[in-house]
Structures are given as C-alpha cells and as structure tokens.
Amino acid sequence: MTFLSKSTLIVISAATLSGCAIPTRENLATTPVNVETPQGTVTCQLYTSDTTLWDEAIAHPESMTSRAADKVCKAEGRRRAT
C-alpha cells in the first residue's frame, strides 16, 4: 500500500468512527419553494445557502424549458443566500 492509500484509508476510518456525516443532497435539502415568473410558477428544490450549485427546478410551466427553470432556481438560491 502506498503512503497516499494508507492516509486516505486512515482519514475515512477516522471519519466513520467519529460519526461524521458526509453531506449529501438529501440531508442538505430545504423545503421546496415556489418562485413566480412571468411564465408561471417554478417549484424549486433549494439546498443550504452554501450549496446553491445543486439548486434545481422540480416543477415548471410547460412553456419553460427545464434549463430555464433551473436558472430561476439557482438565482433564487443565490438571492436567499445573501
């Protein structure tokens, strides 16, 4: 085993034994929010304020693309983080 492999194994073992939780989308998610846009309501799944990268639309008007709806949610996440 190389030094790097041993070090990685030690860090993982220590984190496991200490009860540290590895952040996941599930434990960082907030209650979904509705954002009103000119095209209609976008329902956003936002995450904690320091993980706005994951913010995404879980529902949007048919007249809006998923990509556009995700942009609305990312903007809402950034707005709430400030």
Side-chain angles (χ1 to χ4, degrees), residues 31-37 40-46 58-60 72-73 76 79-80:
T31 303
V33 298
N34 291 324
V35 179
E36 296 301 324
T37 72
T41 303
V42 177
T43 304
C44 299
Q45 177 59 70
L46 303 180
I58 54 177
H60 59 83
V72 168
C73 293
E76 181 65 12
R79 186 189 71 77
R80 290 174 180 238

Side-chain angles (χ1 to χ4, degrees), residues 7-49:
S7 298
T8 302
L9 184 58
I10 290 169
V11 169
I12 292 171
S13 297
T16 302
L17 292 175
S18 69
C20 293
I22 297 173
T24 63
R25 286 182 181 233
E26 290 77 23
N27 61 16
L28 296 177
T30 64
T31 303
V33 298
N34 291 324
V35 179
E36 296 301 324
T37 72
Q39 291 176 279
T41 303
V42 177
T43 304
C44 299
Q45 177 59 70
L46 303 180
Y47 297 86
T48 58
S49 62

